[in-house]
Amino acid sequence: MRLTVGLVSLGLLAACDTGTEQRDAVASTRTVQRPYWPVPPGAIARGTAAQQAALAPPGPQVTPQLVATGEERFRAFCTPCHGVGGRGDGAVVSRGFPPPPSYHDERLRALSPEQIVQVITHGKGRMFPYADRVLPEERWAIAHYVKRLQGQETGSPQGQETEGP
Ligand code: HEC
């Protein structure tokens, strides 16, 4: 009888030891380990179609409201590098970040709102993408505000798109 009890407690001890070893193997006991499910090939994230529709040119109607939203978003997301006037002299640049080109350069003045939306979505060169922080409609708003900064109107006061055929 005593022998049986001894064997059982030995077994329990052994079980405890195994548990300790396993816990040592993970970095933190607070980490919740979830199985990794690979994304099946060809999978499309929910809302992709709606997002692509929102990004398709010519984008939303250019209204004073849209441009005002653009200004507000531009100041939040873009001025740290591009500067309030878009001259590539934002605060981050004075800390050693490579300066972006001025929006008033010939080449950047020629960018269409659509191309600016592309830059916000995908990034460009040293500029990283802002797709995870700026909604598609806001990207259009910012793009039209940038055109305003460049002194180029992209919509009539009635909110009609006047650019292009
Ligand atoms: C962290 C700094 C940083 C922020 C924030 C930033 N940019 Fe840029 N941007 C850059 C740099 C650097 C370049 C130059 C990229 C290159 O050519 O390598 C650039 C280039 C550009 C260009 C020119 C692309 C071209 O064709 O040469 C546009 C347009 C632009 N940014 C728009 C924006 C807008 C709109 C925002 C806000 C949503 C923004 N950027 C936020 C750093 C930034």
Side-chain angles (χ1 to χ4, degrees):
M1 185 60 190
R2 202 174 271 180
L3 185 68
T4 325
V5 172
L7 280 178
V8 168
S9 34
L10 257 181
L12 282 177
L13 272 178
C16 284
D17 280 344
T18 327
T20 317
E21 271 165 31
Q22 276 175 355
R23 259 186 283 136
D24 284 350
V26 294
S28 160
T29 51
R30 267 170 269 179
T31 310
V32 181
Q33 304 266 324
R34 291 201 178 86
Y36 170 67
W37 293 92
V39 179
I44 294 170
R46 201 178 289 181
T48 303
Q51 204 177 42
Q52 275 171 356
L55 285 175
Q61 261 196 1
V62 185
T63 59
Q65 170 75 55
L66 187 83
V67 178
T69 304
E71 175 169 11
E72 194 261 319
R73 302 277 84 188
F74 177 84
R75 283 175 189 262
F77 290 107
C78 319
T79 49
C81 298
H82 288 276
V84 176
R87 296 183 190 280
D89 55 359
V92 172
V93 173
S94 63
R95 299 285 176 153
F97 192 85
S102 168
Y103 288 156
H104 306 281
D105 284 357
E106 246 357 271
R107 192 177 63 79
L108 270 62
R109 285 178 59 81
L111 292 178
S112 67
E114 188 189 341
Q115 287 171 311
I116 298 173
V117 167
Q118 291 287 319
V119 174
I120 302 173
T121 304
H122 301 293
K124 168 111 196 223
R126 286 157 294 162
M127 180 183 145
F128 37 84
Y130 278 79
D132 57 346
R133 272 157 284 185
V134 184
L135 295 172
E137 166 123 358
E138 294 174 341
R139 291 176 217 166
W140 283 107
I142 293 174
H144 288 291
Y145 177 69
V146 168
K147 295 314 288 178
R148 289 290 154 101
L149 268 183
Q150 294 173 328
Q152 297 169 11
E153 294 289 308
T154 47
S156 76
Q158 285 78 39
Q160 291 301 307
E161 185 70 52
T162 51
E163 256 198 354

